[in-house]
Amino acid sequence: AILNLIASAAPPTSADALLHHLTAPKIYLEEGGIVNIPSLQLMTEAPMSVNMIYVYGAWLANGKLAQMISWYLGFLATLAVFMIAAKLTSKQSAIMAAAVFSTLPIFSVFNVRPYVDIPMAFFALLAAYFLLKCSEKPGWRKAVLTGLFLGMSVSTKNTGILTGAAFAANLLSLQ
C-alpha cells in the first residue's frame, strides 16, 4: 500500500488516463459544463462518474491528486474486502483475503493510475457488503445503501452493468 501511494504521487503518464479519464472532464471544467467533444465522442459516451471526481484532482494538482484519489479508493476497496471476508469467515481469513487482493499485480497497476476499474470494484464491494448485511437482517437503510453503491458501480464503467446483473440474479434466486 505504501509503495502504491508513493507511485500515485507521480504525474499521470498512461495514455488511457491522459486521453480519456482526465482529458474529457478537464475540457468540461474549462468549458463550464458538459459539452460535445467530437474527437473524444466514443470515450465520453461511457459512464464518467469517477472521471468527474478525478477532474478536481487534475484541476487542483495537475493530475497527481487524481491518482491519489484512485489509490485511496483502492485502499478503501481493500478494507471492503476485509469487511466482507470477516462477515463470511474468520478474522485471519479476512486479513489474508485483503492481503491477497491488495497485492494482485493488476491491482497495483490500476491502483496508482486514475482509471475507473478500482473505484468500480470499490463501489461493487460496498454494495455486496450491504447486500450481505441486508440478507442477515433486512432493513430499508441497508437496501438503499446497496442500491446506492450498486448505482455508483454501474455509473463508473460499462462493465458495472455486469455487477448489477449479478446482484439481480442473486436477489431473484432468493425468492
Side-chain angles (χ1 to χ4, degrees), residues 62-161:
N62 198 22
K64 292 179 195 175
L65 188 57
Q67 291 189 153
M68 294 183 99
I69 291 168
S70 180
W71 174 85
Y72 184 66
L73 291 174
F75 176 75
L76 293 177
T78 303
L79 290 178
V81 167
F82 173 82
M83 292 175 4
I84 291 169
K87 272 208 159 309
L88 298 173
T89 63
S90 67
K91 185 176 179 181
Q92 293 81 11
S93 296
I95 291 169
M96 182 61 83
V100 168
F101 176 77
S102 66
T103 57
L104 289 169
I106 193 75
F107 179 84
S108 293
V109 169
F110 281 35
N111 192 36
V112 299
R113 296 187 172 120
Y115 290 171
V116 294
D117 307 87
I118 299 295
M120 184 190 75
F122 166 66
F123 295 129
L125 286 164
L126 280 182
Y129 175 75
F130 285 108
L131 183 63
L132 276 172
K133 287 186 68 86
C134 203
S135 67
E136 290 173 348
K137 185 178 176 190
W140 70 269
R141 288 184 179 145
K142 295 172 205 159
V144 167
L145 287 170
T146 300
L148 175 73
F149 289 118
L150 185 57
M152 286 298 295
S153 176
V154 171
S155 71
T156 300
K157 188 172 180 168
N158 285 333
T159 52
I161 293 170

Side-chain angles (χ1 to χ4, degrees), residues 29-91:
L29 188 64
E30 290 169 354
E31 295 293 325
I34 297 174
V35 296
N36 183 31
I37 309 169
S39 61
L40 295 175
Q41 189 163 0
L42 181 64
M43 294 178 205
T44 58
E45 290 175 352
M48 297 194 60
S49 62
V50 170
N51 295 351
M52 298 308 235
I53 296 169
Y54 288 159
V55 74
Y56 294 106
W59 178 58
L60 292 171
N62 198 22
K64 292 179 195 175
L65 188 57
Q67 291 189 153
M68 294 183 99
I69 291 168
S70 180
W71 174 85
Y72 184 66
L73 291 174
F75 176 75
L76 293 177
T78 303
L79 290 178
V81 167
F82 173 82
M83 292 175 4
I84 291 169
K87 272 208 159 309
L88 298 173
T89 63
S90 67
K91 185 176 179 181

